[in-house]
Amino acid sequence: MVESHRSFSRAEIGPIVVVSLISALRLLGIFLILPIFSAYVVRYSGATLALAGIAFGIYALTQCIIQVPLGWASDRWGRRPVLVFGLALFSLGSLGCALANNVTALIFARALQGSGAVGSVALAALADLTRPAVRTQAFTITGIAIGSAFVIGILGGPVLAASIGLNGLFYILAALGVLAMILAAISFPQGNQSQHQEASMALKPILFNTGLRPIFVATFILSFALNLFLFTYPLSWTQIGLEKSQLWKVYLIIFMPSALLVFPYMRHAEKQGRFRLPIVVGWLTATIGYAIYFFGADYDFLLYLSGGAFFFGYSLYQPLLPTFLTQRIPPGGRGTATGLYTSFGFVGSSLGGMLGGALIHISPSLPELLGVLLLVLWYISGLPSPPESAA
């Protein structure tokens, strides 16, 4: 009976698969352009390095701004229509990027592309359609789907760009967005009627909720640390002689522990109803990974070890944080809450990437030192805790 309670029901399997597919399809397109965007954009008419940076970063900026309004709209009018609307904006923006023939047009199209900020809506929908007893497993499966899309994008982007160019990749993004939109329109399940009838919550009580504050801080710090890591990590490999074309092998190896171990570990923790240990293990492995990187950036074995440890710790938190968040908020406020959660993550990502570029010019080891110090200060200030019902 306990085993059945901690396993997915038939009614839950469908929504998990659909939400995972929609999330992975949309993000696969973004991941395809990540490794090659800057190298191709500088060739556009009127492009400078500064404008190329704006074209790259404005997507995250509009994502950050629009997450909360779309999340609130999904609380008020339902997840499916807002999800379809956001994916339509993403697809139109991607098509605009494909048709852009100068950097100014590309910047405006990227802003439109980023306005399809439906990540928070997908998180809220997954919480609506799963029981608290299996929600961590559900978020873990979606995380694995997104992680797989990341690896495919990082590996496939450079290969595809070499044959069809950046414009061709943007057409693929538009097609993936349309496919996700169709999937959302015809297969996305509706939540319970009681959820739709529940009044939506205001922004202020969610933003200043003391129980949610550690979760918002956690996603900010982890996103900051991730982009700080991703900015310097490939540079360390090229500095010790690895060809850029071989970096995909590194990412494949360091993501393997997360892909193989996170889901069974989270499933075991959820069955036991004990999340305090994964919280500490996630923080510890991420911090150890950064510390190994700080001391061992000149050695390939230590670089592998640091990357594997950091991503394992980071991956443990990806299902935990939205689970804790959605268990503390009723359905009428989940879209707004996940919008805030996602926005804090985008702000952290932006600052981490920008500081990584600034600090590495001062000293190659400064970004890693900052990462270690930030993670240690996070532990001192207090890690997030599970709701009492999930402890």
Side-chain angles (χ1 to χ4, degrees), residues 4 11 16 35 191 365:
S4 175
I16 293 169
S365 60

Side-chain angles (χ1 to χ4, degrees), residues 97-122:
C97 290
L99 297 172
N101 54 15
N102 60 73
V103 72
T104 303
L106 181 65
I107 289 171
F108 281 105
R110 284 279 286 170
L112 177 60
Q113 186 187 48
S115 66
V118 292
S120 61
V121 181

Side-chain angles (χ1 to χ4, degrees), residues 94-385:
S94 299
L95 183 60
C97 290
L99 297 172
N101 54 15
N102 60 73
V103 72
T104 303
L106 181 65
I107 289 171
F108 281 105
R110 284 279 286 170
L112 177 60
Q113 186 187 48
S115 66
V118 292
S120 61
V121 181
L123 289 178
L126 193 57
D128 293 343
L129 298 162
T130 54
R131 290 166 293 135
V134 296
R135 195 167 293 158
T136 306
Q137 297 175 62
F139 280 120
T140 305
I141 290 173
T142 301
I144 290 172
I146 293 172
S148 300
F150 177 81
V151 174
I152 294 170
I154 293 295
L155 303 186
V159 176
L160 285 171
S163 59
I164 62 176
L166 185 61
N167 285 42
L169 280 182
F170 278 124
Y171 280 119
I172 291 178
L173 263 71
L176 290 171
V178 169
L179 184 59
M181 183 175 64
I182 294 171
L183 186 62
I186 65 175
S187 301
F188 195 80
Q190 295 286 2
N192 295 331
Q193 187 65 25
S194 60
Q195 291 172 348
H196 298 313
Q197 294 173 346
E198 186 170 335
S200 58
M201 293 178 63
L203 175 64
K204 188 175 179 179
I206 296 175
L207 181 60
F208 293 102
N209 185 309
T210 55
L212 300 182
R213 191 176 302 150
I215 299 173
F216 295 146
V217 170
T219 191
F220 172 86
I221 290 176
L222 286 169
S223 299
F224 183 100
L226 175 67
N227 266 27
L228 194 68
F229 192 93
L230 285 175
F231 187 90
T232 60
Y233 189 71
L235 298 177
S236 297
W237 278 103
T238 56
Q239 285 169 3
I240 64 172
L242 186 74
E243 293 293 329
K244 293 178 183 177
S245 61
Q246 299 300 307
L247 279 171
W248 67 270
K249 296 179 181 178
V250 172
Y251 287 114
L252 193 61
I253 292 169
I254 65 174
F255 288 141
M256 197 63 68
S258 300
L260 295 177
L261 300 175
V262 168
F263 179 74
Y265 185 46
M266 286 292 97
R267 180 175 171 81
H268 175 75
E270 195 157 50
K271 285 182 177 180
Q272 298 295 318
R274 297 174 182 173
F275 291 112
R276 298 194 186 279
L277 183 59
I279 289 168
V280 176
V281 170
W283 170 83
L284 185 61
T285 51
T287 306
I288 289 174
Y290 247 107
I292 293 172
Y293 186 20
F294 178 67
F295 290 106
D298 295 329
Y299 305 95
D300 57 357
F301 174 74
L302 293 180
L303 281 174
Y304 279 123
L305 194 61
S306 68
F310 173 75
F311 280 106
F312 180 78
Y314 175 86
S315 298
L316 282 183
Y317 270 92
Q318 295 318 292
L320 287 174
L321 294 177
T323 299
F324 296 168
L325 177 74
T326 55
Q327 286 181 359
R328 284 185 165 96
I329 292 290
R334 282 178 184 158
T336 305
T338 54
L340 281 169
Y341 168 82
T342 310
S343 293
F344 273 105
F346 272 110
V347 173
S349 297
S350 300
L351 291 177
M354 289 187 289
L355 271 180
L359 292 175
I360 201 168
H361 283 294
I362 302 172
S363 171
S365 60
L366 263 184
E368 291 79 60
L369 178 61
L370 175 62
V372 173
L373 291 176
L374 184 65
L375 290 168
V376 170
L377 287 173
W378 178 33
Y379 180 83
I380 294 171
S381 66
L383 300 177
S385 59

